[in-house]
Amino acid sequence: MKSSLLKRCVTAAGMLALAIGNLAAQEAKPEKTKALEEGPMQIGGSSPVGGADMVQTLNPKSPPMTKADFEIGKKIYFERCAGCHGVLRKGATGKPLTTDLTIERGSEYLRTFIFYGSPQGMPNWGSSGTLTEKEVDVMTRYIQHEPPTPPEYGLKEMNATWKLIVPPSQRPKTKMNNLDLANLFSVTLRDAGKIALIDGASKKIVDVLDTGYAVHISRLSKSGRYLYVIGRDAKIVLIDLWMEKPAPVAEIRVGLEARSVETSKFKGYEDRYAIAGTYWPPQYTLMDGDTLKPLKVIGTRGMTSDTNEYHPEPRVAAIVASHYHPEFLVNAKETGMVHLVDYSDLENLRVKMIKTPRFLHDGGFESTGRYFMDAANASDRIAVIDTKEGKLAAVVPVGKTPHPGRGANFVHPKFGPVWATSHLGDETVSLIGTDPVKNGNNAWKVVQTLKSAGGGSLFLKTHPKSKNLWVDAPLNPDPTISQAVAVFDINNLDKGFDLLPIGEWAGVKPGAKRIVQPEYNRAGDEVWFSVWSTGSEESAIVVVDDKTRKLKAVIKDPRLITPTGKFNVYNTQNDVY
């Protein structure tokens, strides 16, 4: 970097850091003067949308940009930024980057912000060496031009990608292998575009299967036979676990970018339907559960829940299946609307809209399976949805940017049943009372706030047979925190946490070693952690004895490339968390 540019950046960075440090908590709908002050935690990851053909729209108020620079900027934006800021830059986990904001800020401000990042989690793309000086300059100009719009994706495009590899009539009638499926783990190998099936008892890899790019989640059918895997490229792979050697039997691509898949669970509809939601286009698709044949596509574009303004990109985040009705609950992130989709009659489909805070992301059921605890992360709220009555039961303020995964359920020694979330934006863990019948005074409020090791948490977990609550923090900037995990004694929460050096226990070569996503085995006596390094570094899975909190096993294999999410078949199938 030239000395003059460095001097300007350092000066501006100091002023920016001071300004950020003095900011109070903000509401989810940002003011124009604050919209860029807080960057996102880097959880969005890269976006496959960048490979689609898009048209450059020139803005005369924006700095000059050639077609070649536009293509560079588009590639970088969809690889680095779109997951948090949105395809159309309307914001969600990350703040909006629309041109009314970016042009007003100007190139010098934006260049500094991109180069140095922010204490709230905006990555320091320039000073870290991730982006070159030229690339920082390209991005400074790129986000001052109108965002290009990717193409739509309907049934015609989906059917062109649909592959029925093994028809249902040719599949086994009974389980044909000796695997203990209830204790099998589906492990995401993120950068490899694969999953590993690992036996929970032997800790051996059963097989590694090709899937979509950057697998986000694995979900099980109600019967436990079928494993659904969805990548960020919106490719779904259906794996039959009953086959002599579990293998894909169908696949489809339902859009250009996605995060969520789920299957029907209500009695009489087990395994009948699957549903997947996409980030782009903003929609969800209903499919046959055993073939992935697409049946119906429903768009999410519409009005926001707070100001009733039209939003062109309500991305579909979490989807859960009701246990009380033949319904799916679908999160439309940017509008704050939960779509309650009745799948009992697809020809005359009924969708009920439940109004909640905006920027819905992830969440899970409380212990009875009746109430969906739904994280509106950029609003710092948890929406409680009664799936039996089909309505919003409560809205609970929590910490900064909740990111619970599916959350954690346990019985608090003082307040009764609670559901817990950790946070991306601060070090706290919020415990919410979930028993309106026997503990009505504690229901739908934060009954206790724990202080964990630090912000940057993505997941926390416990188990009905455990007395431990595990909290990760893989996005914390301090390696002593990101390479460890905090564990609380549920019966003595006031004593604080112990910090276990999981990364050190892994015994892998030097690398990022971010510890992510605690997951229990079927019996609830082991906790598995991903030791997540980059694709060129060594990763591993560490297994800890839940009772003693001691190291039990380390799973190493050259095929374990960037392991992240782990999904135990029984626990995922039965919503145990």
Side-chain angles (χ1 to χ4, degrees):
M1 176 176 282
K2 296 179 180 179
S3 59
S4 59
L5 174 60
L6 178 61
K7 183 177 180 180
R8 291 198 308 269
C9 286
V10 169
T11 302
M15 295 172 63
L16 177 64
L18 180 62
I20 291 173
N22 291 330
L23 283 176
Q26 298 177 25
E27 294 299 319
K29 182 178 172 69
E31 298 175 15
K32 183 178 290 189
T33 58
K34 295 182 178 179
L36 299 178
E37 297 290 356
E38 292 188 12
M41 287 292 188
Q42 181 58 14
I43 64 169
S46 53
S47 166
V49 176
D53 290 332
M54 303 183 207
V55 177
Q56 179 181 6
T57 302
L58 298 176
N59 188 331
K61 296 181 180 179
S62 305
M65 185 164 224
T66 65
K67 175 65 174 175
D69 282 349
F70 170 80
E71 291 298 325
I72 293 171
K74 185 185 79 159
K75 183 176 186 294
I76 293 172
Y77 182 82
F78 285 105
E79 284 182 350
R80 304 289 184 184
C81 318
C84 283
H85 293 287
V87 170
L88 302 180
R89 306 187 203 152
K90 296 290 185 178
T93 304
K95 298 297 180 181
L97 295 175
T98 49
T99 54
D100 61 322
L101 300 168
T102 57
I103 291 174
E104 179 182 294
R105 286 298 188 187
S107 296
E108 180 116 352
Y109 175 94
L110 296 173
R111 184 181 293 109
T112 301
F113 199 75
I114 295 169
F115 192 89
Y116 287 103
S118 84
Q120 278 68 38
M122 170 72 175
N124 54 328
W125 297 116
S127 63
S128 68
T130 304
L131 298 182
T132 65
E133 179 182 337
K134 178 182 177 181
E135 289 171 332
V136 170
D137 177 66
V138 167
M139 294 310 298
T140 296
R141 290 179 285 129
Y142 178 82
I143 60 175
Q144 293 181 75
H145 286 264
E146 297 300 326
T149 302
E152 301 297 322
Y153 206 92
L155 279 176
K156 177 183 177 181
E157 290 78 11
M158 293 179 199
N159 277 309
T161 71
W162 177 49
K163 296 179 182 178
L164 185 57
I165 302 167
V166 182
S169 62
Q170 298 177 22
R171 299 174 196 168
K173 305 302 180 186
T174 59
K175 181 171 170 286
M176 300 298 291
N177 57 61
N178 295 321
L179 296 172
D180 180 8
L181 295 185
N183 202 30
L184 189 71
F185 287 77
S186 175
V187 179
T188 296
L189 306 180
R190 190 191 186 281
D191 292 356
K194 303 174 186 288
I195 64 160
L197 297 178
I198 302 181
D199 177 64
S202 67
K203 315 296 188 292
K204 301 293 185 182
I205 295 178
V206 173
D207 204 357
V208 173
L209 303 175
D210 290 326
T211 54
Y213 161 80
V215 169
H216 193 64
I217 60 171
S218 297
R219 288 290 181 261
L220 274 297
S221 65
K222 179 64 175 177
S223 68
R225 172 176 185 168
Y226 290 116
L227 176 67
Y228 299 78
V229 178
I230 190 165
R232 295 190 179 212
D233 58 356
K235 181 180 179 181
I236 306 171
V237 176
L238 176 62
I239 299 166
D240 187 352
L241 298 178
W242 280 12
M243 298 177 74
E244 186 174 351
K245 186 177 181 180
V249 294
E251 65 178 53
I252 192 173
R253 195 174 181 196
V254 292
L256 299 180
E257 182 175 5
R259 295 294 189 277
S260 53
V261 67
E262 183 60 285
T263 69
S264 52
K265 295 181 178 179
F266 188 65
K267 186 175 181 180
Y269 292 89
E270 299 92 334
D271 296 19
R272 185 181 300 185
Y273 296 118
I275 183 173
T278 45
Y279 268 28
W280 190 269
Q283 60 193 32
Y284 48 94
T285 303
L286 291 157
M287 299 160 282
D288 277 331
D290 58 358
T291 68
L292 299 183
K293 179 181 179 180
L295 303 173
K296 205 170 190 73
V297 183
I298 301 94
T300 58
R301 292 180 174 101
M303 313 310 282
T304 59
S305 62
D306 51 1
T307 58
N308 219 34
E309 296 175 83
Y310 178 76
H311 199 292
E313 190 196 352
R315 297 174 288 175
V316 176
I319 302 176
V320 297
S322 172
H323 300 280
Y324 285 85
H325 302 285
E327 294 172 337
F328 293 118
L329 285 83
V330 179
N331 275 355
K333 183 191 288 278
E334 281 78 8
T335 56
M337 303 301 294
V338 175
H339 295 222
L340 201 58
V341 183
D342 184 339
Y343 53 75
S344 63
D345 182 0
L346 296 191
E347 289 301 314
N348 302 285
L349 190 71
R350 292 185 298 173
V351 179
K352 182 177 182 179
M353 309 292 280
I354 300 177
K355 177 181 174 181
T356 76
R358 293 180 64 192
F359 308 112
L360 298 166
H361 192 65
D362 52 352
F365 289 108
E366 45 71 54
S367 59
T368 69
R370 173 172 172 172
Y371 297 94
F372 177 39
M373 311 295 289
D374 200 354
N377 58 18
S379 295
D380 305 333
R381 301 287 190 274
I382 300 295
V384 182
I385 298 174
D386 184 345
T387 64
K388 183 177 180 180
E389 297 297 330
K391 64 182 182 180
L392 182 69
V395 174
V396 185
V398 289
K400 182 67 176 175
T401 319
H403 193 287
R406 306 197 88 179
N409 289 297
F410 60 91
V411 178
H412 192 285
K414 180 178 179 181
F415 301 110
V418 298
W419 177 89
T421 180
S422 53
H423 301 87
L424 277 165
D426 65 37
E427 73 278 11
T428 66
V429 176
S430 297
L431 309 184
I432 300 172
T434 60
D435 180 10
V437 177
K438 296 182 180 179
N439 292 273
N441 291 335
N442 301 324
W444 318 137
K445 64 177 71 172
V446 174
V447 295
Q448 186 172 2
T449 299
L450 310 176
K451 184 177 181 180
S452 191
S457 176
L458 291 179
F459 304 101
L460 76 173
K461 191 65 68 77
T462 188
H463 188 277
K465 296 182 180 179
S466 173
K467 297 301 181 185
N468 289 320
L469 175 66
W470 305 86
V471 185
D472 71 15
L475 301 184
N476 193 283
D478 184 348
T480 63
I481 296 174
S482 65
Q483 296 181 8
V485 66
V487 55
F488 292 85
D489 181 349
I490 288 172
N491 290 326
N492 191 6
L493 294 168
D494 291 335
K495 114 175 162 174
F497 61 87
D498 291 330
L499 195 65
L500 303 188
I502 304 297
E504 179 183 323
W505 289 354
V508 298
K509 297 173 184 176
K513 293 187 289 188
R514 291 169 288 184
I515 309 306
V516 64
Q517 207 251 346
E519 174 74 344
Y520 276 85
N521 63 344
R522 165 70 176 89
D525 56 10
E526 292 177 355
V527 194
W528 293 35
F529 299 92
S530 294
V531 182
W532 175 24
S533 291
T534 68
S536 61
E537 299 169 336
E538 188 179 19
S539 293
I541 293 174
V542 169
V543 182
V544 175
D545 185 295
D546 182 68
K547 184 175 181 179
T548 66
R549 301 182 181 177
K550 302 296 184 183
L551 175 65
K552 189 169 185 178
V554 177
I555 304 173
K556 292 183 183 179
D557 192 289
R559 295 171 290 176
L560 285 180
I561 299 171
T562 58
T564 52
K566 302 165 297 304
F567 303 88
N568 174 269
V569 166
Y570 180 87
N571 294 338
T572 305
Q573 174 190 355
N574 294 283
D575 291 319
V576 177
Y577 38 81

